[in-house]
Amino acid sequence: QVQLVESGGGLVQPGGSLRLSCVASGSIFSINAMSWYRQAPGKERELVAGITWGGSRDYADSVKGRFTISRDDAKNTMYLQMNSLKPEDTAVYYCNADLVTMLRRHLQVWGQGTLVTVSS
């Protein structure tokens, strides 16, 4: 009924940049917020950045000044611009959306995850 499609992951050298995209599609009535999470092997999934459709943005301390989250309301799309990447940024990055379907069902939906590897 509702899907999140992610793209943009890959292999990059330290100091490089990547841009992740997440498109929400399906029977969506409204989106309250979208977020990026990441999970490294053996570690808990952590919030990287989030944005509400009211325009509020939040970042994890570890990525402030390097990552930028943005959105396109008309296309239900979220982006994460990642600059000055470090090896510790290596993780599977997941898109998350808090939304309401056309049937007025409140859902939290996860994407499939995209791997970001930062290595020389």
Side-chain angles (χ1 to χ4, degrees):
Q1 186 176 10
V2 178
Q3 299 85 35
L4 301 181
V5 180
E6 306 172 22
S7 62
L11 175 64
V12 65
Q13 295 184 0
S17 298
L18 284 174
R19 189 192 191 211
L20 305 183
S21 299
C22 176
V23 180
S25 62
S27 300
I28 300 171
F29 177 76
S30 63
I31 296 177
N32 299 318
M34 296 184 74
S35 303
W36 288 101
Y37 288 75
R38 67 185 181 188
Q39 187 168 25
K43 300 187 67 176
E44 295 182 337
R45 188 172 300 188
E46 64 174 344
L47 177 65
V48 177
I51 185 168
T52 70
W53 254 237
S56 179
R57 301 179 183 184
D58 288 295
Y59 298 92
D61 289 341
S62 60
V63 306
K64 285 183 178 179
R66 299 188 297 120
F67 291 9
T68 303
I69 190 170
S70 61
R71 60 178 170 86
D72 184 330
D73 294 4
K75 298 185 180 298
N76 289 337
T77 300
M78 175 180 64
Y79 307 94
L80 184 67
Q81 179 65 47
M82 304 185 294
N83 298 326
S84 302
L85 283 162
K86 305 174 181 179
E88 48 264 45
D89 295 318
T90 296
V92 177
Y93 284 71
Y94 296 92
C95 177
N96 176 270
D98 185 86
L99 53 82
V100 178
T101 71
M102 293 298 292
L103 296 177
R104 305 301 193 271
R105 185 73 172 179
H106 185 200
L107 297 178
Q108 187 176 46
V109 183
W110 290 94
Q112 78 287 350
T114 183
L115 177 62
V116 173
T117 302
V118 185
S119 179
S120 299

